[in-house]
């Protein structure tokens, strides 16, 4: 049987239209998600395979995206490595104790993904049974820098000062931490592919927070090693480094099948720099608040700009905002699915 459109696109085959999915397509903007969250915490939801699978399926049932992404979080790896993970009400994630020294790094444990994250393998197995053929399942992890930044700060941060201080004053400690995260992430993604995920996305949400020297010396080589580690496993990969601006030109040291582009660049300009790359993105998530007419202009401009790319996956340029009207999501999906090259 012919592979699904999303997979054919990532493999560089010629296709009839771009596939479409949205980062954070499962979540709080859907009333059926909020209903489930009123019964259990986010972490309970992630660790309950039947419920995590249900939440993954909710947007697919409503809108029929061309890919599903398994409901989980990038911080499950630090948790499995021994940090205590919690989400306070409206406070974002917390990881304790924060990593600040070589001793702290040495205390981290290596993850047996099937044991520590068996819930995720089970969620993936359920989804492989339930998902329509045309909506293949994406597995994911945080890229090592982004994950390490949360591990060092112990939480989200505006300026990631502790992370940068560690990187610049004790580069050896930070590199050792990155190496530990790289190794464990490869095993974790391998587990997801073996359980049935057909593609992988690596989220580097905070890659754009560091200066070009540190991007080139720490951030990109770590992501490169993860992608190289999973490249032979038969699931195409997407690397999404957010906030790179002009430094996007360095991202191709990471040998993924495709690259996610954030909403701060114009797709027209990115395609000019990377005419031979498969690109994903990059509608501004807040465009989904716009009037229908303005939204259509933005979608059409994106699809037109992206025609010149070697391959294109329509998506947002970052995660869906919790206050997004669900109808706008449906409209975006439909408009892309009606488009033809
Ligand atoms: O639908 C999907 O995209 C799949 C699920 C998914 C979640 N998190 C679920 C989630 C994915 C791919 C992620 C990745 C993730 N998690 C990233 C990288 C992508 C990005 O958005 O930049 C990051 C940085 C995290 C860390 C994280 N997890 C934060 C900062 C938060 C709090 C965010 C908030 O808005 O409160 C989470 C929790 C989280 N992960 C939620 C969801 C749906 C909100 C949980 C809830 O309150 O119900």
């Amino acid at each position: 049987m012919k592979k699904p459109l999303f997979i054919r696109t990532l493999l560089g085959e010629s296709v009839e239209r771009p596939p479409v999915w949205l980062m954070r397509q499962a979540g709080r903007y859907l009333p059926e998600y909020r209903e489930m969250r009123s019964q259990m915490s986010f972490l309970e939801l992630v660790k309950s395979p039947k419920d995590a699978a249900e939440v993954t399926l909710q947007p697919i049932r409503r809108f029929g995206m061309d890919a599903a992404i398994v409901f989980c979080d990038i911080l499950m790896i630090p948790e499995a490595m021994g940090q205590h993970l919690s989400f306070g009400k409206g406070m974002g994630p917390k990881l304790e104790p924060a990593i600040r020294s070589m001793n702290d790094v040495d205390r981290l444990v290596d993850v047996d993904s099937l044991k520590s994250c068996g819930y995720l393998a089970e969620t993936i197995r359920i989804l492989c049974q339930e998902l329509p053929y045309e909506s293949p399942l994406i597995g994911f992890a945080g890229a090592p820098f982004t994950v390490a930044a949360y591990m060092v700060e112990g939480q989200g941060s505006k300026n990631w000062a502790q992370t940068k201080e560690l990187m610049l004053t004790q580069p050896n400690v930070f590199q050792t931490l990155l190496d530990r995260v790289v190794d464990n992430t490869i095993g974790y993604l391998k587990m997801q592919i073996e359980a049935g995920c057909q593609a992988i996305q690596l989220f580097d949400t905070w890659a754009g927070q560091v200066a070009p020297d540190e991007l080139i010396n720490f951030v990109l080589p770590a992501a490169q090693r993860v992608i190289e580690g999973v490249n032979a496993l038969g699931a195409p990969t997407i690397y999404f480094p957010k906030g790179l601006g002009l430094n996007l030109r360095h991202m191709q040291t990471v040998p993924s099948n495709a690259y996610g582009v954030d909403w701060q660049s114009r797709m027209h300009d990115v395609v000019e720099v990377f005419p031979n790359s498969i690109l994903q993105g990059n509608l501004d998530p807040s465009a989904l608040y716009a009037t229908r007419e303005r939204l259509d202009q933005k979608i059409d401009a994106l699809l037109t700009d992206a025609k010149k790319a070697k391959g294109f996956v329509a998506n947002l340029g970052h995660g869906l905002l919790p206050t997004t009207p669900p109808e706008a999501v449906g409209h975006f999906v439909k408009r892309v699915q009606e488009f033809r090259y």
Side-chain angles (χ1 to χ4, degrees), residues 22-28 33 37 42 69-75 87 92-93 140 146 150 203 205-206 318-319 322:
L22 293 83
M23 289 187 276
R24 289 280 178 99
Q25 65 192 16
R28 285 172 294 192
Y33 175 86
R37 275 282 278 109
F42 171 67
I69 181 161
V70 65
F71 192 78
C72 196
D73 199 84
I74 66 166
L75 301 178
F87 289 87
F140 71 90
T146 289
Y150 279 106
F203 287 88
T205 306
W206 305 117
H318 196 195

Side-chain angles (χ1 to χ4, degrees), residues 5 15-19 66 300 303-304 307 333-341:
L5 174 68
V15 292
E16 53 283 11
R17 66 164 171 90
D66 298 305
D300 295 352
L303 294 173
T304 305
K307 266 189 191 172
V333 171
K334 185 157 168 280
R335 197 154 180 102
V336 177
Q337 291 182 339
E338 285 169 358
F339 177 85
R340 289 293 174 274
Y341 282 124

Side-chain angles (χ1 to χ4, degrees), residues 29-222:
Y29 75 108
L30 287 177
E32 56 270 35
Y33 175 86
R34 292 197 300 270
E35 166 62 30
M36 288 184 69
R37 275 282 278 109
S38 70
Q39 312 291 322
M40 60 184 109
S41 73
F42 171 67
L43 284 176
E44 285 168 342
L45 188 49
V46 165
K47 292 180 184 179
S48 164
K50 202 168 68 46
D51 296 312
E54 166 58 25
V55 166
T56 306
L57 286 163
Q58 284 171 349
I60 306 298
R61 265 192 222 115
R62 262 198 198 231
F63 308 118
M65 289 88 170
D66 298 305
I69 181 161
V70 65
F71 192 78
C72 196
D73 199 84
I74 66 166
L75 301 178
M76 305 319 284
I77 274 283
E79 183 189 56
M81 291 176 77
Q83 281 183 301
H84 180 262
L85 171 64
S86 59
F87 289 87
K89 263 205 164 61
M91 291 185 19
K94 244 189 163 29
L95 286 169
E96 291 160 299
I99 307 295
R100 299 288 161 80
S101 67
M102 197 60 101
N103 272 340
D104 295 337
V105 177
D106 286 341
R107 269 195 295 274
L108 293 167
V109 296
D110 285 320
V111 180
D112 177 340
S113 284
L114 261 185
K115 260 204 197 122
S116 319
C117 306
Y119 56 86
L120 177 55
E122 184 56 26
T123 303
I124 293 168
R125 275 186 228 110
I126 297 171
L127 284 166
C128 289
Q129 301 286 316
E130 304 265 318
L131 277 166
Y133 182 78
E134 275 302 329
S135 304
L137 185 61
I138 304 168
F140 71 90
F145 172 73
T146 289
V147 171
Y150 279 106
M151 294 174 84
V152 170
E153 303 285 338
Q155 58 191 12
S157 169
K158 271 209 165 71
N159 51 22
W160 303 90
Q162 310 265 16
T163 307
K164 293 183 193 185
E165 187 186 333
L166 188 65
M167 202 190 281
L168 294 168
T169 60
Q170 302 186 73
N172 184 33
V173 173
F174 192 73
Q175 187 60 54
T176 307
L177 173 60
L178 277 179
D179 292 345
R180 295 288 301 278
V181 176
V182 166
D183 292 341
N184 284 291
T185 302
I186 292 172
Y188 178 69
L189 290 173
K190 190 165 178 225
M191 177 273 279
Q192 295 184 50
I193 295 168
E194 281 167 1
C197 286
Q198 290 164 272
I200 293 294
Q201 177 155 318
L202 200 60
F203 287 88
D204 221 345
T205 306
W206 305 117
Q209 291 291 314
V210 298
D213 283 345
E214 284 72 41
L215 177 73
I216 290 165
N217 292 328
F218 290 97
V219 178
L220 294 175

